[in-house]
Amino acid sequence: MSAPVPATVFTGFELADSAPFGELPDGGWIPANVTGGVHAALVAAGRLADPYRDRNEEDARWVEERSWWYRGHVDLPDVAAGGRLRLVLHGVDTVATVWLDDVELGRHVNMFRPAEYDVTRFAGTRARLVVRFDPPLAGLDPEDSPPSALLAGDRFEPTSVQRRKPTYSWGWDFAPRLPSIGLWRPVELLHDRGAAITGVLFRTRALDTAARTADLSVDIDVERLSDAPLRVRVLWDGELVAEEPVRDAQANARFSVTDVRPWWTHDLGIPDRYLLTVEVRDSDTALTRRSEHVGVRIVELDRSPDPDGGRRFRFVLNGVPLYARGACVVPSSMEPGCVPDHVQRELVRLAAAGNMTMLRIWGGGVYGDDAFYDAADEMGVLVWQDFMFACLAYPDSDGELSAEVAAEATHQIRRLRNRPSLALWAGNNEVQAIQQLRTGDLSGEWGSRHFHETLPAAVSAHSPDVPYWPGSPWGQDDPAGVNGVLDGDRHAWEVWHGLDVGAPSPLEYTDRGEAMHFDRFRFDTGKFISEFGIIAAPERATLAQWISPEELTLHSPTFDAHVKDNPVQKAELLLAAETGLPTDLDTYVDATMAVQAEGLKFGIEHYRRRQPGNSGALIWQLNDPWPGVSWSLIDHALRPKAAYYAVRRAFRPVLASFVRDDSGRLDVWVTSSGVRPVRSVLTIEVQRLDGAVIVADSVDVDVEAGASRKVWSAPADQIGSGPDRVAWVSSADGVVPANRLLFGRIKEIAWPRSTLESAFEPTGHDSGVLKLTSRGYSFQARVTCDDPGARFSDNYLDLRDGDSAHIAVTGLCGRTTPATFTARTYRGPGSGAQS
């Protein structure tokens, strides 16, 4: 009995350039990694200064104007009767012509689907593979692009909508203009014998979580390469559960399982998976097989009427309504082929550790690599998957482009459809919203056929159990349009841009910073917030890695080049209102960190208190593609910002939060996003920052699962007012994690002098526990380490006098001693009393 022939992956390539559409170069070849990209190869060879460093991005524009050649050799085995060889270039970025031994195999113009060629005729030879990449926008006419300019400058390339390439390539408000080129995913040779599996659709037809039973089905598409009768065997965790003949290029199997272990998000249960194997056989010979881990789960999108008006937008997993807590994911590099698997896995791990249950793959980037989805499946994090369209009007009457969109959608849907983490297919990012903003309606050619015909048809045909949503944001039954508060999801950018979010109107604010203040999130009554954010600098250490010492100052030309939001100093408008203006880079870093943390905390708490009227909050954005000042929670070096830890606390399944209204009344709410009721005793304290107690009270709470309600209240005359006050809520049993509310803005608070004591106890060669104790009230108490691999389980804490925090430290290089840790508090503008 023989086994299928394994695939061969080729990595040994060389790279050279020529003028656009030039001849194959005679010399100048340099090594090129596959996967990888042209820019990375040039940097490694010393031919290009790293575009991330200083302002080198400005000197890299020539790369996108050349033709680039890859060459390598492919050893092709002999093929018996009924056999076939397929050469698959899984990632071709973007305009490419492919030759094998001087025979042109074809031309490819889509970064988001593979190029595949039958190369059986070359069997038994060692052939030379040559790929020419032409400039990614070559041959495009701006007149063929629908009008869609919204922002000034070169952020959007109008012709880019005619090419299936990431929109962020041409620059964004968090990224430089640095369009990638090259073989960004593997090159693979597949040897088929007798048959090929071209698709597997796994479905959970019915699930009873109480009885622990499930009805399942598997549909297998099979391409015949001979006339022999074929049958398919289906194995479930290694056990044969079905065997069916292949008829009309398909086999269909249905089976039931007992004692089933459903797939859950990590907060609701265990994200259990099973190994599904399908095997195509010809008599006693296994011709081909495919194995993948799948989960037994049912995901639905609840669009029922909301008693408070409008319609819900709520995910339901295995019958349990969810509050989606998470963030939006952008590519981790301007060259997505250069992102190692461990980085993608670490982003998902940090998200799960940050109490996130959903990640949205943003439509201006790329579809994720398998490593990302593997981690999401394994760690119990749902994925909202945008199709790759963002912010521009797309031609939908061009037959060639429409065919590419359909082929890309079919490929990506069939690639990802069995992922238990996959919760939603969304047509685009902000295309309908910007079209409505630009023209006032949704008529004309802007991509409507793609998002309302082609994509939903592809999802229905190939992924029938995963909901489809036309765009993000989108809502069809709201008088305010596609980004309203009564229907669908919405992007809450009115606060950052100082626009109207309900009441009071920003026209009532005489100060622009007040119109941008995060306090205005409280007027947002959206059903599901799929984007909202506040900008912040990364750690100084991250900036120092990429900015020369002489330029590492606030608003030096190089520093400003790493701030892509326009205008560069827009963040200072908000800082002036909340912290006061920074005077140097260090106070800028701390002030932006603090404002982002406080602002996102405030927004999350507001949205979660509205549960189930609001059923999700996804922060813009989780990560960064380069080392800049942006909305990310985790910077390009994978260092979490202060906001990551604030969000982690605000996203805990059980949340106690404060509301202080305009009259000065103080309320405490308890919100449960779990599956069990919350029963505990809360301790509520109002203190001065010097420790003097003003109010000390306790209250019994009993809040049902999935609910949010007010559990305690005190009038203004009982608690008083003034920026020297802070309110705390906690429970002795830990059922309700502690939280606090500052009564004043950061710039108004006279922070008392405090000191931090730290003691490190190693627990392994690369880990330990750091005990941090405060003497006096410490705001944003944080720990840093000179070991670049150090990661902390918690950081940026508020500690009262005598409070201690035990912080788990991992990722050390084995040479670290306690002396390498540094603890300090907030040192932003007006923080002179802090130490």
Side-chain angles (χ1 to χ4, degrees):
M1 178 172 145
S2 60
V5 178
T8 302
V9 178
F10 299 96
T11 58
F13 286 87
E14 292 180 305
L15 175 74
D17 70 313
S18 68
F21 307 104
E23 298 296 325
L24 183 68
D26 293 327
W29 293 89
I30 61 175
N33 289 330
V34 176
T35 60
V38 167
H39 292 83
L42 293 173
V43 170
R47 290 188 55 192
L48 180 70
D50 196 316
Y52 288 4
R53 179 169 295 283
D54 293 331
R55 284 179 283 167
N56 293 341
E57 60 174 289
E58 301 169 6
D59 299 324
R61 289 287 289 268
W62 65 276
V63 176
E64 66 181 86
E65 299 165 356
R66 301 285 186 95
S67 285
W68 295 95
W69 299 79
Y70 280 73
R71 71 179 183 186
H73 286 88
V74 179
D75 292 314
L76 298 100
D78 291 322
V79 175
R84 179 181 62 184
L85 297 176
R86 285 181 291 147
L87 183 65
V88 183
L89 287 70
H90 287 280
V92 180
D93 180 11
T94 297
V95 180
T97 307
V98 183
W99 292 269
L100 197 61
D101 270 358
D102 299 325
V103 176
E104 183 176 324
L105 299 182
R107 188 170 182 268
H108 195 76
V109 290
N110 192 328
M111 183 175 172
F112 301 128
R113 69 178 183 90
E116 180 176 318
Y117 307 102
D118 186 328
V119 293
T120 309
R121 56 183 157 162
F122 298 93
T125 69
R126 188 169 197 263
R128 184 177 69 164
L129 174 65
V130 174
V131 184
R132 184 185 72 198
F133 289 94
D134 292 318
L137 299 180
L140 301 181
D141 186 344
E143 295 296 323
D144 294 333
S145 297
S148 57
L150 182 68
L151 302 178
D154 64 353
R155 180 170 300 170
F156 296 147
E157 272 286 349
T159 57
S160 67
V161 297
Q162 301 174 49
R163 282 275 147 81
R164 298 305 300 137
K165 181 172 179 61
T167 320
Y168 89 118
S169 300
W170 316 104
W172 212 263
D173 53 12
F174 61 87
R177 179 182 176 124
L178 205 65
S180 56
I181 301 171
L183 295 171
W184 76 288
R185 280 183 171 155
V187 175
E188 185 177 39
L189 183 68
L190 302 176
H191 187 175
D192 302 320
R193 294 189 305 168
I197 297 172
T198 58
V200 175
L201 172 60
F202 169 76
R203 303 179 69 181
T204 301
R205 298 276 185 168
L207 172 62
D208 187 329
T209 56
R212 298 183 62 198
T213 60
D215 296 330
L216 311 175
S217 69
V218 184
D219 300 328
I220 306 101
D221 297 321
V222 179
E223 183 180 2
R224 293 177 178 272
L225 300 178
S226 72
D227 296 329
L230 302 176
R231 66 184 190 278
V232 169
R233 290 160 45 99
V234 178
L235 292 87
W236 185 251
D237 263 1
E239 178 183 346
L240 181 65
V241 292
E243 187 164 3
E244 299 290 341
V246 176
R247 298 190 180 96
D248 298 325
Q250 192 173 75
N252 311 99
R254 296 193 67 156
F255 59 99
S256 299
V257 293
T258 58
D259 296 324
V260 70
R261 306 184 308 275
W263 186 93
W264 293 100
T265 51
H266 63 86
D267 61 326
L268 299 182
I270 298 173
D272 262 309
R273 296 181 298 161
Y274 294 84
L275 182 64
L276 173 69
T277 301
V278 295
E279 186 179 79
V280 179
R281 302 180 69 87
D282 147 357
S283 67
D284 292 329
T285 303
L287 301 176
T288 185
R289 70 168 63 96
R290 180 185 296 184
S291 294
E292 58 186 315
H293 285 97
V294 298
V296 178
R297 96 289 183 266
I298 294 176
V299 177
E300 301 165 287
L301 185 61
D302 175 12
R303 300 278 291 117
S304 61
D306 187 335
D308 294 330
R311 300 174 67 184
R312 295 197 192 282
F313 188 96
R314 179 169 64 174
F315 291 92
V316 179
L317 176 63
N318 302 333
V320 177
L322 304 180
Y323 190 94
R325 315 186 302 275
C328 302
V329 178
V330 302
S332 292
S333 172
M334 297 307 297
E335 286 193 286
C338 296
V339 181
D341 288 353
H342 73 83
V343 169
Q344 303 191 57
R345 183 176 181 84
E346 177 65 3
L347 282 176
V348 180
R349 188 198 68 78
L350 284 167
N355 292 310
M356 298 184 194
T357 58
M358 177 174 282
L359 293 175
R360 173 179 167 237
I361 308 297
W362 172 65
V366 298
Y367 302 94
D369 287 336
D370 289 343
F372 177 89
Y373 301 102
D374 286 345
D377 292 346
E378 177 186 334
M379 299 180 194
V381 178
L382 290 168
V383 173
W384 167 317
Q385 179 67 61
D386 283 2
F387 287 97
M388 293 301 117
F389 302 85
C391 294
L392 300 171
Y394 288 82
D396 53 20
S397 59
D398 181 311
E400 182 178 351
L401 180 63
S402 295
E404 278 295 341
V405 169
E408 168 193 319
T410 297
H411 167 72
Q412 293 293 348
I413 293 167
R414 290 168 70 90
R415 170 186 165 231
L416 299 175
R417 61 187 174 182
N418 294 340
R419 295 287 186 176
S421 57
L422 184 62
L424 186 76
W425 293 101
N428 66 76
N429 173 82
E430 295 185 352
V431 174
Q432 289 100 330
I434 289 180
Q435 174 67 13
Q436 179 180 274
L437 182 64
R438 191 181 67 84
T439 67
D441 62 33
L442 295 179
S443 62
E445 181 180 345
W446 49 268
S448 176
R449 292 187 186 91
H450 299 322
F451 312 127
H452 297 277
E453 297 176 19
T454 303
L455 297 179
V459 170
S460 178
H462 302 292
S463 183
D465 299 325
V466 177
Y468 174 80
W469 193 242
S472 181
W474 171 255
Q476 61 190 34
D477 296 330
D478 194 317
V482 300
N483 197 36
V485 299
L486 293 176
D487 185 40
D489 71 309
R490 73 181 239 93
H491 292 186
W493 286 113
E494 293 88 350
V495 172
W496 176 254
H497 294 303
L499 303 175
D500 192 5
V501 70
S505 165
L507 298 178
E508 298 178 27
Y509 293 100
T510 57
D511 184 281
R512 181 72 186 281
E514 294 295 330
M516 295 172 59
H517 197 275
F518 52 78
D519 175 74
R520 297 181 64 241
F521 280 129
R522 63 193 169 107
F523 301 117
D524 192 340
T525 58
K527 305 298 183 183
F528 190 108
I529 312 303
S530 46
E531 280 190 20
F532 71 110
I534 296 173
I535 207 168
E539 295 276 10
R540 182 187 178 95
T542 298
L543 293 172
Q545 184 179 349
W546 297 100
I547 298 178
S548 298
E550 63 274 12
E551 286 287 298
L552 193 58
T553 58
L554 183 60
H555 293 311
S556 72
T558 299
F559 176 86
D560 283 355
H562 285 253
V563 184
K564 295 304 180 185
D565 191 36
N566 186 29
V568 166
Q569 296 190 23
K570 182 177 179 180
E572 272 105 315
L573 297 171
L574 176 55
L575 296 185
E578 178 60 33
T579 65
L581 287 174
T583 56
D584 55 29
L585 181 60
D586 289 326
T587 55
Y588 179 89
V589 169
D590 268 25
T592 57
M593 286 262 200
V595 168
Q596 186 188 39
E598 293 297 304
L600 294 181
K601 174 182 184 293
F602 184 94
I604 292 168
E605 290 176 352
H606 163 72
Y607 293 130
R608 291 190 65 188
R609 280 192 297 269
R610 298 191 60 252
Q611 181 181 318
N614 175 283
S615 294
L618 307 182
I619 293 163
W620 182 264
Q621 62 206 60
L622 181 69
N623 60 317
D624 267 331
W626 87 312
V629 176
S630 82
W631 292 267
S632 69
L633 300 176
I634 302 163
D635 72 24
H636 185 63
L638 297 183
R639 293 185 175 101
K641 298 179 182 178
Y644 169 83
Y645 298 101
V647 166
R648 177 178 179 267
R649 292 185 279 270
F651 271 161
R652 286 179 290 208
V654 176
L655 171 71
S657 62
F658 290 97
V659 177
R660 188 162 172 255
D661 69 12
D662 293 337
S663 74
R665 189 187 75 234
L666 186 67
D667 300 330
V668 174
W669 286 65
V670 171
T671 304
S672 169
S673 298
V675 294
R676 288 177 291 277
V678 177
R679 298 187 178 97
S680 186
V681 178
L682 297 188
T683 298
I684 300 160
E685 302 165 276
V686 178
Q687 299 175 323
R688 293 193 182 93
L689 291 172
D690 62 10
V693 177
I694 299 168
V695 172
D697 201 358
S698 64
V699 61
D700 294 335
V701 296
D702 188 345
V703 178
E704 59 270 26
S708 182
R709 64 183 182 87
K710 184 166 61 177
V711 299
W712 182 88
S713 185
D717 59 4
Q718 182 179 344
I719 61 174
S721 62
D724 64 336
R725 284 163 169 74
V726 60
W728 286 84
V729 59
S730 60
S731 67
D733 57 12
V735 169
V736 181
N739 197 2
R740 65 99 175 108
L741 174 73
L742 299 174
F743 275 40
R745 294 192 177 180
I746 295 171
K747 69 179 181 180
E748 300 169 344
I749 299 172
W751 298 105
R753 183 168 297 279
S754 66
T755 58
L756 292 169
E757 302 169 0
S758 61
F760 180 74
E761 183 68 31
T763 57
H765 74 282
D766 62 350
S767 61
V769 174
L770 185 75
K771 182 181 179 181
L772 191 64
T773 302
S774 179
R775 303 303 176 194
Y777 192 100
S778 292
F779 173 62
Q780 293 265 299
R782 55 161 296 189
V783 180
T784 56
C785 181
D786 65 355
D787 186 325
R791 295 294 180 262
F792 304 100
S793 63
D794 210 350
N795 219 338
Y796 292 91
L797 300 151
D798 272 37
L799 299 175
R800 292 178 287 182
D801 183 33
D803 283 352
S804 294
H806 292 79
I807 301 172
V809 184
T810 56
L812 303 176
C813 296
R815 58 174 175 78
T816 307
T817 66
T820 62
F821 292 95
T822 301
R824 66 171 179 83
T825 57
Y826 176 74
R827 61 184 181 194
S831 60
Q834 287 279 65
S835 65

